[in-house]
PDB file of all heavy atoms in Angstrom:
ATOM      1  N   THR A  38      13.344 -24.007  -4.072  1.00  0.00           N
ATOM      2  CA  THR A  38      12.139 -24.470  -4.735  1.00  0.00           C
ATOM      3  C   THR A  38      12.333 -24.575  -6.283  1.00  0.00           C
ATOM      4  O   THR A  38      11.692 -25.347  -6.918  1.00  0.00           O
ATOM      5  CB  THR A  38      10.967 -23.485  -4.485  1.00  0.00           C
ATOM      6  OG1 THR A  38      11.047 -22.981  -3.168  1.00  0.00           O
ATOM      7  CG2 THR A  38       9.620 -24.130  -4.675  1.00  0.00           C
ATOM      8  N   LYS A  41      14.658 -28.081  -8.630  1.00  0.00           N
ATOM      9  CA  LYS A  41      14.204 -29.321  -9.258  1.00  0.00           C
ATOM     10  C   LYS A  41      13.669 -29.042 -10.722  1.00  0.00           C
ATOM     11  O   LYS A  41      14.095 -29.699 -11.660  1.00  0.00           O
ATOM     12  CB  LYS A  41      13.038 -29.922  -8.450  1.00  0.00           C
ATOM     13  CG  LYS A  41      13.021 -31.450  -8.480  1.00  0.00           C
ATOM     14  CD  LYS A  41      12.184 -31.999  -7.337  1.00  0.00           C
ATOM     15  CE  LYS A  41      10.763 -32.304  -7.942  1.00  0.00           C
ATOM     16  NZ  LYS A  41       9.844 -32.670  -6.872  1.00  0.00           N
ATOM     17  N   SER A  42      12.824 -28.004 -10.850  1.00  0.00           N
ATOM     18  CA  SER A  42      12.236 -27.749 -12.160  1.00  0.00           C
ATOM     19  C   SER A  42      13.323 -27.240 -13.147  1.00  0.00           C
ATOM     20  O   SER A  42      13.323 -27.710 -14.307  1.00  0.00           O
ATOM     21  CB  SER A  42      11.092 -26.775 -12.082  1.00  0.00           C
ATOM     22  OG  SER A  42      11.311 -25.777 -11.125  1.00  0.00           O
ATOM     23  N   LYS A  45      15.367 -30.095 -14.434  1.00  0.00           N
ATOM     24  CA  LYS A  45      14.674 -30.882 -15.396  1.00  0.00           C
ATOM     25  C   LYS A  45      14.691 -30.207 -16.756  1.00  0.00           C
ATOM     26  O   LYS A  45      14.869 -30.874 -17.806  1.00  0.00           O
ATOM     27  CB  LYS A  45      13.178 -31.009 -14.926  1.00  0.00           C
ATOM     28  CG  LYS A  45      12.365 -32.087 -15.626  1.00  0.00           C
ATOM     29  CD  LYS A  45      10.993 -32.157 -15.062  1.00  0.00           C
ATOM     30  CE  LYS A  45      10.185 -30.927 -15.423  1.00  0.00           C
ATOM     31  NZ  LYS A  45       8.919 -30.772 -14.687  1.00  0.00           N
ATOM     32  N   PHE A  46      14.599 -28.851 -16.799  1.00  0.00           N
ATOM     33  CA  PHE A  46      14.599 -28.100 -18.101  1.00  0.00           C
ATOM     34  C   PHE A  46      15.983 -28.229 -18.757  1.00  0.00           C
ATOM     35  O   PHE A  46      16.080 -28.276 -19.948  1.00  0.00           O
ATOM     36  CB  PHE A  46      14.327 -26.625 -17.868  1.00  0.00           C
ATOM     37  CG  PHE A  46      12.987 -26.272 -17.255  1.00  0.00           C
ATOM     38  CD1 PHE A  46      12.812 -25.158 -16.494  1.00  0.00           C
ATOM     39  CD2 PHE A  46      11.879 -27.116 -17.455  1.00  0.00           C
ATOM     40  CE1 PHE A  46      11.593 -24.834 -15.945  1.00  0.00           C
ATOM     41  CE2 PHE A  46      10.677 -26.841 -16.868  1.00  0.00           C
ATOM     42  CZ  PHE A  46      10.542 -25.694 -16.073  1.00  0.00           C
ATOM     43  N   GLU A 140      10.493 -15.885 -15.941  1.00  0.00           N
ATOM     44  CA  GLU A 140       9.546 -16.880 -15.504  1.00  0.00           C
ATOM     45  C   GLU A 140      10.233 -18.247 -15.504  1.00  0.00           C
ATOM     46  O   GLU A 140      11.213 -18.430 -16.203  1.00  0.00           O
ATOM     47  CB  GLU A 140       8.338 -16.868 -16.509  1.00  0.00           C
ATOM     48  CG  GLU A 140       8.800 -17.077 -17.956  1.00  0.00           C
ATOM     49  CD  GLU A 140       7.610 -16.904 -18.943  1.00  0.00           C
ATOM     50  OE1 GLU A 140       7.330 -15.718 -19.330  1.00  0.00           O
ATOM     51  OE2 GLU A 140       7.072 -17.916 -19.315  1.00  0.00           O
ATOM     52  N   ILE A 141       9.757 -19.109 -14.599  1.00  0.00           N
ATOM     53  CA  ILE A 141      10.364 -20.438 -14.507  1.00  0.00           C
ATOM     54  C   ILE A 141       9.648 -21.385 -15.406  1.00  0.00           C
ATOM     55  O   ILE A 141       8.852 -22.239 -14.945  1.00  0.00           O
ATOM     56  CB  ILE A 141      10.334 -20.934 -12.989  1.00  0.00           C
ATOM     57  CG1 ILE A 141      10.682 -19.815 -12.059  1.00  0.00           C
ATOM     58  CG2 ILE A 141      11.246 -22.128 -12.826  1.00  0.00           C
ATOM     59  CD1 ILE A 141      12.160 -19.361 -11.998  1.00  0.00           C
ATOM     60  N   THR A 142       9.914 -21.279 -16.747  1.00  0.00           N
ATOM     61  CA  THR A 142       9.296 -22.219 -17.706  1.00  0.00           C
ATOM     62  C   THR A 142      10.436 -22.686 -18.604  1.00  0.00           C
ATOM     63  O   THR A 142      11.478 -22.001 -18.691  1.00  0.00           O
ATOM     64  CB  THR A 142       8.241 -21.496 -18.572  1.00  0.00           C
ATOM     65  OG1 THR A 142       8.848 -20.358 -19.213  1.00  0.00           O
ATOM     66  CG2 THR A 142       7.052 -21.061 -17.776  1.00  0.00           C
ATOM     67  N   LYS A 143      10.228 -23.822 -19.242  1.00  0.00           N
ATOM     68  CA  LYS A 143      11.291 -24.435 -20.070  1.00  0.00           C
ATOM     69  C   LYS A 143      11.813 -23.457 -21.125  1.00  0.00           C
ATOM     70  O   LYS A 143      13.025 -23.240 -21.265  1.00  0.00           O
ATOM     71  CB  LYS A 143      10.756 -25.726 -20.695  1.00  0.00           C
ATOM     72  CG  LYS A 143      11.887 -26.540 -21.374  1.00  0.00           C
ATOM     73  CD  LYS A 143      11.411 -27.909 -21.801  1.00  0.00           C
ATOM     74  CE  LYS A 143      12.555 -28.752 -22.278  1.00  0.00           C
ATOM     75  NZ  LYS A 143      12.141 -30.118 -22.576  1.00  0.00           N
ATOM     76  N   GLN A 309       5.073 -15.327  -4.827  1.00  0.00           N
ATOM     77  CA  GLN A 309       6.395 -15.980  -4.863  1.00  0.00           C
ATOM     78  C   GLN A 309       6.224 -17.461  -5.142  1.00  0.00           C
ATOM     79  O   GLN A 309       6.916 -18.054  -5.922  1.00  0.00           O
ATOM     80  CB  GLN A 309       7.140 -15.746  -3.570  1.00  0.00           C
ATOM     81  CG  GLN A 309       8.540 -16.255  -3.516  1.00  0.00           C
ATOM     82  CD  GLN A 309       9.567 -15.374  -4.237  1.00  0.00           C
ATOM     83  OE1 GLN A 309       9.443 -14.156  -4.204  1.00  0.00           O
ATOM     84  NE2 GLN A 309      10.620 -15.973  -4.793  1.00  0.00           N
ATOM     85  N   GLN A 310       5.235 -18.067  -4.460  1.00  0.00           N
ATOM     86  CA  GLN A 310       4.962 -19.514  -4.645  1.00  0.00           C
ATOM     87  C   GLN A 310       4.547 -19.784  -6.080  1.00  0.00           C
ATOM     88  O   GLN A 310       5.007 -20.728  -6.749  1.00  0.00           O
ATOM     89  CB  GLN A 310       3.877 -19.932  -3.698  1.00  0.00           C
ATOM     90  CG  GLN A 310       4.286 -19.950  -2.195  1.00  0.00           C
ATOM     91  CD  GLN A 310       3.076 -19.955  -1.253  1.00  0.00           C
ATOM     92  OE1 GLN A 310       1.943 -20.102  -1.665  1.00  0.00           O
ATOM     93  NE2 GLN A 310       3.364 -19.777   0.043  1.00  0.00           N
ATOM     94  N   LEU A 311       3.681 -18.935  -6.613  1.00  0.00           N
ATOM     95  CA  LEU A 311       3.162 -19.103  -7.985  1.00  0.00           C
ATOM     96  C   LEU A 311       4.297 -18.864  -9.015  1.00  0.00           C
ATOM     97  O   LEU A 311       4.335 -19.585 -10.041  1.00  0.00           O
ATOM     98  CB  LEU A 311       2.018 -18.106  -8.300  1.00  0.00           C
ATOM     99  CG  LEU A 311       0.722 -18.235  -7.488  1.00  0.00           C
ATOM    100  CD1 LEU A 311      -0.213 -17.110  -7.763  1.00  0.00           C
ATOM    101  CD2 LEU A 311       0.080 -19.587  -7.711  1.00  0.00           C
ATOM    102  N   TYR A 312       5.208 -18.015  -8.671  1.00  0.00           N
ATOM    103  CA  TYR A 312       6.367 -17.761  -9.586  1.00  0.00           C
ATOM    104  C   TYR A 312       7.350 -18.903  -9.534  1.00  0.00           C
ATOM    105  O   TYR A 312       7.868 -19.367 -10.564  1.00  0.00           O
ATOM    106  CB  TYR A 312       7.036 -16.403  -9.184  1.00  0.00           C
ATOM    107  CG  TYR A 312       8.457 -16.267  -9.716  1.00  0.00           C
ATOM    108  CD1 TYR A 312       8.662 -16.054 -11.112  1.00  0.00           C
ATOM    109  CD2 TYR A 312       9.581 -16.287  -8.891  1.00  0.00           C
ATOM    110  CE1 TYR A 312       9.940 -15.867 -11.625  1.00  0.00           C
ATOM    111  CE2 TYR A 312      10.804 -16.109  -9.375  1.00  0.00           C
ATOM    112  CZ  TYR A 312      11.023 -15.907 -10.736  1.00  0.00           C
ATOM    113  OH  TYR A 312      12.272 -15.726 -11.258  1.00  0.00           O
ATOM    114  N   GLU A 313       7.661 -19.379  -8.317  1.00  0.00           N
ATOM    115  CA  GLU A 313       8.696 -20.405  -8.204  1.00  0.00           C
ATOM    116  C   GLU A 313       8.268 -21.773  -8.709  1.00  0.00           C
ATOM    117  O   GLU A 313       9.100 -22.597  -9.142  1.00  0.00           O
ATOM    118  CB  GLU A 313       9.123 -20.538  -6.743  1.00  0.00           C
ATOM    119  CG  GLU A 313       9.970 -19.309  -6.290  1.00  0.00           C
ATOM    120  CD  GLU A 313      10.539 -19.424  -4.922  1.00  0.00           C
ATOM    121  OE1 GLU A 313      10.196 -20.389  -4.163  1.00  0.00           O
ATOM    122  OE2 GLU A 313      11.313 -18.572  -4.547  1.00  0.00           O
ATOM    123  N   GLY A 314       6.959 -22.057  -8.618  1.00  0.00           N
ATOM    124  CA  GLY A 314       6.479 -23.325  -9.224  1.00  0.00           C
ATOM    125  C   GLY A 314       5.542 -24.104  -8.367  1.00  0.00           C
ATOM    126  O   GLY A 314       5.675 -24.174  -7.144  1.00  0.00           O
ATOM    127  N   ILE A 315       4.530 -24.637  -9.000  1.00  0.00           N
ATOM    128  CA  ILE A 315       3.517 -25.457  -8.331  1.00  0.00           C
ATOM    129  C   ILE A 315       3.528 -26.817  -9.001  1.00  0.00           C
ATOM    130  O   ILE A 315       3.597 -26.896 -10.246  1.00  0.00           O
ATOM    131  CB  ILE A 315       2.128 -24.775  -8.539  1.00  0.00           C
ATOM    132  CG1 ILE A 315       2.074 -23.359  -7.908  1.00  0.00           C
ATOM    133  CG2 ILE A 315       1.009 -25.645  -7.955  1.00  0.00           C
ATOM    134  CD1 ILE A 315       2.159 -23.234  -6.398  1.00  0.00           C
ATOM    135  N   GLU A 316       3.433 -27.850  -8.205  1.00  0.00           N
ATOM    136  CA  GLU A 316       3.397 -29.263  -8.747  1.00  0.00           C
ATOM    137  C   GLU A 316       2.052 -29.470  -9.445  1.00  0.00           C
ATOM    138  O   GLU A 316       1.005 -29.412  -8.832  1.00  0.00           O
ATOM    139  CB  GLU A 316       3.614 -30.248  -7.606  1.00  0.00           C
ATOM    140  CG  GLU A 316       4.972 -30.395  -7.095  1.00  0.00           C
ATOM    141  CD  GLU A 316       5.969 -30.998  -8.064  1.00  0.00           C
ATOM    142  OE1 GLU A 316       5.574 -31.795  -8.935  1.00  0.00           O
ATOM    143  OE2 GLU A 316       7.163 -30.620  -7.998  1.00  0.00           O
ATOM    144  N   ILE A 317       2.122 -29.766 -10.761  1.00  0.00           N
ATOM    145  CA  ILE A 317       0.940 -30.053 -11.471  1.00  0.00           C
ATOM    146  C   ILE A 317       1.087 -31.391 -12.151  1.00  0.00           C
ATOM    147  O   ILE A 317       2.106 -31.707 -12.820  1.00  0.00           O
ATOM    148  CB  ILE A 317       0.650 -28.952 -12.560  1.00  0.00           C
ATOM    149  CG1 ILE A 317       0.238 -27.661 -11.827  1.00  0.00           C
ATOM    150  CG2 ILE A 317      -0.386 -29.357 -13.558  1.00  0.00           C
ATOM    151  CD1 ILE A 317       0.008 -26.461 -12.664  1.00  0.00           C
ATOM    152  N   LYS A 318       0.078 -32.292 -11.979  1.00  0.00           N
ATOM    153  CA  LYS A 318       0.156 -33.647 -12.444  1.00  0.00           C
ATOM    154  C   LYS A 318       0.446 -33.722 -13.978  1.00  0.00           C
ATOM    155  O   LYS A 318      -0.189 -33.020 -14.739  1.00  0.00           O
ATOM    156  CB  LYS A 318      -1.161 -34.353 -12.168  1.00  0.00           C
ATOM    157  CG  LYS A 318      -1.077 -35.813 -12.042  1.00  0.00           C
ATOM    158  CD  LYS A 318      -2.379 -36.451 -11.618  1.00  0.00           C
ATOM    159  CE  LYS A 318      -2.336 -37.949 -11.737  1.00  0.00           C
ATOM    160  NZ  LYS A 318      -3.651 -38.483 -11.397  1.00  0.00           N
ATOM    161  N   GLY A 319       1.426 -34.500 -14.304  1.00  0.00           N
ATOM    162  CA  GLY A 319       1.806 -34.604 -15.682  1.00  0.00           C
ATOM    163  C   GLY A 319       2.779 -33.611 -16.203  1.00  0.00           C
ATOM    164  O   GLY A 319       3.397 -33.784 -17.297  1.00  0.00           O
ATOM    165  N   SER A 320       2.986 -32.494 -15.450  1.00  0.00           N
ATOM    166  CA  SER A 320       3.915 -31.461 -15.899  1.00  0.00           C
ATOM    167  C   SER A 320       5.037 -31.225 -14.896  1.00  0.00           C
ATOM    168  O   SER A 320       5.951 -30.484 -15.162  1.00  0.00           O
ATOM    169  CB  SER A 320       3.155 -30.095 -16.078  1.00  0.00           C
ATOM    170  OG  SER A 320       1.997 -30.285 -16.830  1.00  0.00           O
ATOM    171  N   GLY A 321       4.938 -31.798 -13.718  1.00  0.00           N
ATOM    172  CA  GLY A 321       5.945 -31.561 -12.667  1.00  0.00           C
ATOM    173  C   GLY A 321       5.752 -30.116 -12.102  1.00  0.00           C
ATOM    174  O   GLY A 321       4.586 -29.621 -12.078  1.00  0.00           O
ATOM    175  N   SER A 322       6.816 -29.531 -11.621  1.00  0.00           N
ATOM    176  CA  SER A 322       6.727 -28.183 -11.011  1.00  0.00           C
ATOM    177  C   SER A 322       6.645 -27.143 -12.123  1.00  0.00           C
ATOM    178  O   SER A 322       7.543 -27.099 -12.953  1.00  0.00           O
ATOM    179  CB  SER A 322       7.902 -27.991 -10.144  1.00  0.00           C
ATOM    180  OG  SER A 322       7.852 -26.639  -9.560  1.00  0.00           O
ATOM    181  N   VAL A 323       5.632 -26.315 -12.091  1.00  0.00           N
ATOM    182  CA  VAL A 323       5.442 -25.286 -13.174  1.00  0.00           C
ATOM    183  C   VAL A 323       5.325 -23.885 -12.570  1.00  0.00           C
ATOM    184  O   VAL A 323       4.567 -23.678 -11.640  1.00  0.00           O
ATOM    185  CB  VAL A 323       4.136 -25.582 -13.960  1.00  0.00           C
ATOM    186  CG1 VAL A 323       3.921 -24.588 -15.050  1.00  0.00           C
ATOM    187  CG2 VAL A 323       4.162 -27.009 -14.527  1.00  0.00           C
ATOM    188  N   GLY A 324       6.192 -22.980 -13.121  1.00  0.00           N
ATOM    189  CA  GLY A 324       6.045 -21.573 -12.698  1.00  0.00           C
ATOM    190  C   GLY A 324       4.854 -20.963 -13.372  1.00  0.00           C
ATOM    191  O   GLY A 324       4.765 -20.955 -14.632  1.00  0.00           O
ATOM    192  N   LEU A 325       3.881 -20.528 -12.598  1.00  0.00           N
ATOM    193  CA  LEU A 325       2.636 -20.107 -13.218  1.00  0.00           C
ATOM    194  C   LEU A 325       2.521 -18.617 -13.519  1.00  0.00           C
ATOM    195  O   LEU A 325       1.719 -18.269 -14.373  1.00  0.00           O
ATOM    196  CB  LEU A 325       1.445 -20.429 -12.183  1.00  0.00           C
ATOM    197  CG  LEU A 325       1.185 -21.916 -11.922  1.00  0.00           C
ATOM    198  CD1 LEU A 325       0.059 -22.050 -10.885  1.00  0.00           C
ATOM    199  CD2 LEU A 325       0.786 -22.586 -13.249  1.00  0.00           C
ATOM    200  N   ILE A 326       3.376 -17.820 -12.898  1.00  0.00           N
ATOM    201  CA  ILE A 326       3.394 -16.368 -13.238  1.00  0.00           C
ATOM    202  C   ILE A 326       4.774 -15.862 -13.454  1.00  0.00           C
ATOM    203  O   ILE A 326       5.765 -16.493 -13.005  1.00  0.00           O
ATOM    204  CB  ILE A 326       2.691 -15.491 -12.104  1.00  0.00           C
ATOM    205  CG1 ILE A 326       3.488 -15.585 -10.800  1.00  0.00           C
ATOM    206  CG2 ILE A 326       1.216 -15.867 -11.932  1.00  0.00           C
ATOM    207  CD1 ILE A 326       3.075 -14.535  -9.749  1.00  0.00           C
ATOM    208  N   THR A 380       2.220 -17.400 -17.053  1.00  0.00           N
ATOM    209  CA  THR A 380       3.193 -17.870 -18.011  1.00  0.00           C
ATOM    210  C   THR A 380       2.535 -18.563 -19.192  1.00  0.00           C
ATOM    211  O   THR A 380       3.109 -18.658 -20.287  1.00  0.00           O
ATOM    212  CB  THR A 380       4.227 -18.792 -17.359  1.00  0.00           C
ATOM    213  OG1 THR A 380       3.539 -19.838 -16.701  1.00  0.00           O
ATOM    214  CG2 THR A 380       5.056 -18.028 -16.321  1.00  0.00           C
ATOM    215  N   ASP A 381       1.385 -19.135 -18.966  1.00  0.00           N
ATOM    216  CA  ASP A 381       0.667 -19.889 -20.031  1.00  0.00           C
ATOM    217  C   ASP A 381      -0.849 -19.662 -19.802  1.00  0.00           C
ATOM    218  O   ASP A 381      -1.410 -20.234 -18.830  1.00  0.00           O
ATOM    219  CB  ASP A 381       1.029 -21.350 -19.891  1.00  0.00           C
ATOM    220  CG  ASP A 381       0.346 -22.251 -20.890  1.00  0.00           C
ATOM    221  OD1 ASP A 381      -0.502 -21.705 -21.677  1.00  0.00           O
ATOM    222  OD2 ASP A 381       0.548 -23.468 -20.936  1.00  0.00           O
ATOM    223  N   LYS A 384      -3.408 -22.461 -19.107  1.00  0.00           N
ATOM    224  CA  LYS A 384      -3.576 -22.999 -17.736  1.00  0.00           C
ATOM    225  C   LYS A 384      -4.536 -22.075 -17.020  1.00  0.00           C
ATOM    226  O   LYS A 384      -4.153 -21.189 -16.234  1.00  0.00           O
ATOM    227  CB  LYS A 384      -2.229 -23.072 -17.055  1.00  0.00           C
ATOM    228  CG  LYS A 384      -1.337 -24.188 -17.510  1.00  0.00           C
ATOM    229  CD  LYS A 384      -0.172 -24.420 -16.653  1.00  0.00           C
ATOM    230  CE  LYS A 384       0.623 -25.693 -17.055  1.00  0.00           C
ATOM    231  NZ  LYS A 384       1.134 -25.713 -18.423  1.00  0.00           N
ATOM    232  N   ILE A 389      -6.572 -25.660 -13.307  1.00  0.00           N
ATOM    233  CA  ILE A 389      -5.538 -26.134 -12.389  1.00  0.00           C
ATOM    234  C   ILE A 389      -5.931 -25.952 -10.889  1.00  0.00           C
ATOM    235  O   ILE A 389      -5.085 -26.080 -10.019  1.00  0.00           O
ATOM    236  CB  ILE A 389      -4.143 -25.430 -12.673  1.00  0.00           C
ATOM    237  CG1 ILE A 389      -4.294 -23.950 -12.477  1.00  0.00           C
ATOM    238  CG2 ILE A 389      -3.607 -25.842 -13.998  1.00  0.00           C
ATOM    239  CD1 ILE A 389      -2.983 -23.173 -12.494  1.00  0.00           C
ATOM    240  N   LEU A 393      -3.927 -26.103  -6.526  1.00  0.00           N
ATOM    241  CA  LEU A 393      -3.603 -24.877  -5.795  1.00  0.00           C
ATOM    242  C   LEU A 393      -4.313 -24.816  -4.461  1.00  0.00           C
ATOM    243  O   LEU A 393      -5.443 -25.358  -4.317  1.00  0.00           O
ATOM    244  CB  LEU A 393      -4.045 -23.670  -6.644  1.00  0.00           C
ATOM    245  CG  LEU A 393      -3.448 -23.512  -8.041  1.00  0.00           C
ATOM    246  CD1 LEU A 393      -4.118 -22.326  -8.774  1.00  0.00           C
ATOM    247  CD2 LEU A 393      -1.930 -23.297  -7.968  1.00  0.00           C
ATOM    248  N   TYR A 401      -4.024 -16.335  -8.239  1.00  0.00           N
ATOM    249  CA  TYR A 401      -3.730 -16.703  -9.673  1.00  0.00           C
ATOM    250  C   TYR A 401      -4.908 -16.305 -10.537  1.00  0.00           C
ATOM    251  O   TYR A 401      -4.687 -15.707 -11.607  1.00  0.00           O
ATOM    252  CB  TYR A 401      -3.452 -18.192  -9.787  1.00  0.00           C
ATOM    253  CG  TYR A 401      -3.200 -18.610 -11.227  1.00  0.00           C
ATOM    254  CD1 TYR A 401      -2.062 -18.125 -11.868  1.00  0.00           C
ATOM    255  CD2 TYR A 401      -4.004 -19.482 -11.908  1.00  0.00           C
ATOM    256  CE1 TYR A 401      -1.754 -18.475 -13.211  1.00  0.00           C
ATOM    257  CE2 TYR A 401      -3.747 -19.864 -13.235  1.00  0.00           C
ATOM    258  CZ  TYR A 401      -2.619 -19.362 -13.846  1.00  0.00           C
ATOM    259  OH  TYR A 401      -2.329 -19.696 -15.177  1.00  0.00           O
TER     260      TYR A 401
END
Side-chain angles (χ1 to χ4, degrees):
T38 324
K41 215 165 96 187
S42 35
K45 195 177 68 190
F46 300 151
E140 53 189 85
I141 316 289
T142 56
K143 190 171 186 172
Q309 184 80 31
Q310 293 161 6
L311 296 173
Y312 163 68
E313 287 185 354
I315 301 290
E316 285 291 331
I317 289 175
K318 202 174 173 186
S320 311
S322 177
V323 179
L325 293 176
I326 64 167
T380 55
D381 178 358
K384 287 191 169 60
I389 59 168
L393 302 174
Y401 180 63

